[in-house]
Amino acid sequence: ASPIFKIGGVLDAGAGFDWLFAKNARLQVAYGTGGSGNPDSGVFGADRSALGVQLLATPTNNLITGLTFGLATYVRTISIYFPCLIVIIFLIGQKKINIRPIVILGFIIIYALTLLPWVIRNQIVFKKNIFATTAEVNIFLYNAPTVIASEKGISIPEARDTIWSEVSKIFVQNPKLDTNNEVIRAQIGSRIGLKYILRYPFTYTKIHTTSFLLNFIVPIGISPLIQYITAKPLSDLKIRPRVLQEFLALLANGKIKPAVDLVIKERFYDLSPIGFFILFWAALFQLFIMVGVIICLIRGFKKTLYLLIPIVYYTFATGPVCDARLRVPIEPLLIILAAIGYFSQKPIEA
């Protein structure tokens, strides 16, 4: 029996109905009372009663998709713009895949409703109607510092200090601003970071384009893997953080040799045996990914586009952050490409 018909362990009488009003939906209603045998109270005058109503429905595909993308955005806020690409794909291929506009609208509504609780929470805590400050944080911690480091010939930490010094000046000039409000700090830092990006657009274009290629070529971060496997912090492993950012800053200035020397020194020199083991398998994994991409494009697999779009999106959106963990959502897709590349190889005949 449905839980609705078990309401109230002390209820001894009641009635209800179970209505299958659609193929995938049913309505159940039940009313129960206790002590109904008492002639002075009866069914409607009992001192204990309960009414239960429940709607049972099989979720539609757009509901599941909207909910799934909403949860993915909670896990990785970099996913927040990806549903826009999904909508564009739906609109472009509407005739081929026979998707009605109402289905797309339902997907968008469910996705927005999934994110709404966190937006409400941020309004209560930070007095701002936003979902997250990931974009702002990336700008003043990664994107802009890489540009500043490249233009001024300084390190990434020094470039970050340049931004934070300007943020501190703004807080001094505006004492009414809440210095403990993380959203306000992120928004101010983002505005200052954007100022440097817009001041050097060509430099930033080179950095972001190069980072996109590097992120695609190296989809797995070596240092995080070593850190996770050994369960030790980077300081204990003597691994220098943000090497790829500094590498990008040097490349943007045309300093190829210093950039390569930096990577060799910090990522390959004196690398532990487990580090070389990880490096070998990461390189092998990437090799099969590239083979898989080439095979998909040459053979013209029809669904290659739908496989590559999320990969390209997450890779491009990561930008100078260069953090492999931000591309976790596409690792299963990269594994599919690697499998295509591996199983497409014919055995060599003697």
Side-chain angles (χ1 to χ4, degrees):
S2 169
I4 192 173
F5 295 107
K6 299 178 181 179
I7 54 178
V10 295
L11 305 182
D12 51 29
F17 66 86
D18 186 356
W19 179 26
L20 183 64
F21 64 90
K23 183 179 180 180
N24 297 321
R26 68 196 308 154
L27 177 66
Q28 295 179 334
V29 179
Y31 174 77
T33 61
S36 304
N38 188 339
D40 295 330
S41 57
V43 175
F44 297 102
D47 59 351
R48 300 186 306 276
S49 63
L51 173 68
V53 179
Q54 72 177 7
L55 177 66
L56 304 176
T58 302
T60 58
N61 290 335
N62 59 341
L63 188 150
I64 295 174
T65 305
L67 180 62
T68 302
F69 273 109
L71 295 176
T73 305
Y74 275 102
V75 176
R76 284 282 174 263
T77 50
I78 196 174
S79 310
I80 197 165
Y81 299 115
F82 186 64
C84 299
L85 293 179
I86 297 295
V87 172
I88 293 173
I89 293 173
F90 284 166
L91 293 175
I92 294 175
Q94 181 180 350
K95 293 183 179 179
K96 290 185 179 180
I97 54 183
N98 193 27
I99 294 181
R100 295 175 299 165
I102 189 65
V103 174
I104 301 174
L105 179 61
F107 159 71
I108 296 174
I109 292 174
I110 297 300
Y111 176 73
L113 289 176
T114 306
L115 302 185
L116 184 60
W118 196 250
V119 175
I120 295 175
R121 177 261 180 192
N122 286 339
Q123 170 61 32
I124 295 173
V125 176
F126 299 112
K127 312 302 180 186
K128 298 287 184 178
N129 288 315
I130 59 172
F131 178 73
T133 58
T134 302
E136 288 84 356
V137 171
N138 285 350
I139 287 173
F140 72 77
L141 282 184
Y142 299 98
N143 302 50
T146 310
V147 174
I148 297 172
S150 178
E151 286 293 330
K152 296 187 176 182
I154 58 180
S155 66
I156 297 296
E158 291 173 330
R160 288 183 174 183
D161 290 340
T162 301
I163 295 177
W164 280 117
S165 64
E166 295 189 34
V167 172
S168 300
K169 290 179 182 178
I170 291 177
F171 277 120
V172 171
Q173 296 169 358
N174 300 272
K176 291 184 178 181
L177 291 176
D178 184 3
T179 58
N180 295 320
N181 191 310
E182 297 177 14
V183 175
I184 293 177
R185 290 207 310 269
Q187 291 177 338
I188 294 176
S190 174
R191 287 199 297 268
I192 294 173
L194 280 174
K195 179 184 69 176
Y196 283 100
I197 291 176
L198 295 176
R199 184 182 299 175
Y200 307 107
F202 182 64
T203 299
Y204 181 73
T205 301
K206 289 192 296 182
I207 289 173
H208 201 105
T209 303
T210 307
S211 69
F212 165 70
L213 297 174
L214 288 175
N215 288 335
F216 192 83
I217 293 174
V218 188
I220 299 178
I222 305 303
S223 56
L225 282 176
I226 298 174
Q227 181 183 3
Y228 298 149
I229 289 177
T230 57
K232 294 181 179 180
L234 290 177
S235 56
D236 290 352
L237 294 171
K238 298 181 180 179
I239 296 179
R240 179 177 174 179
R242 295 181 290 277
V243 168
L244 199 50
Q245 269 186 272
E246 296 190 16
F247 174 79
L248 289 171
L250 290 170
L251 278 186
N253 265 339
K255 299 178 180 179
I256 299 177
K257 188 177 184 304
V260 174
D261 289 342
L262 174 67
V263 174
I264 292 176
K265 176 184 177 182
E266 298 297 336
R267 288 295 181 265
F268 297 102
Y269 179 74
D270 199 25
L271 192 63
S272 65
I274 192 172
F276 279 109
F277 177 77
I278 293 173
L279 185 63
F280 170 77
W281 284 106
L284 195 62
F285 178 58
Q286 181 57 29
L287 173 63
F288 285 122
I289 288 176
M290 300 307 295
V291 173
V293 171
I294 294 172
I295 288 174
C296 285
L297 294 176
I298 292 177
R299 296 183 180 177
F301 290 166
K302 293 182 179 180
K303 296 184 178 180
T304 299
L305 178 64
Y306 301 107
L307 187 63
L308 291 179
I309 282 179
I311 292 175
V312 171
Y313 164 76
Y314 277 96
T315 306
F316 184 80
T318 301
V321 176
C322 299
D323 198 332
R325 67 185 176 85
L326 298 179
R327 299 190 295 283
V328 167
I330 60 172
E331 290 298 335
L333 304 182
L334 293 173
I335 291 173
I336 292 175
L337 279 179
I340 293 174
Y342 176 78
F343 289 106
S344 64
Q345 303 304 301
K346 296 181 179 179
I348 301 175
E349 298 179 0

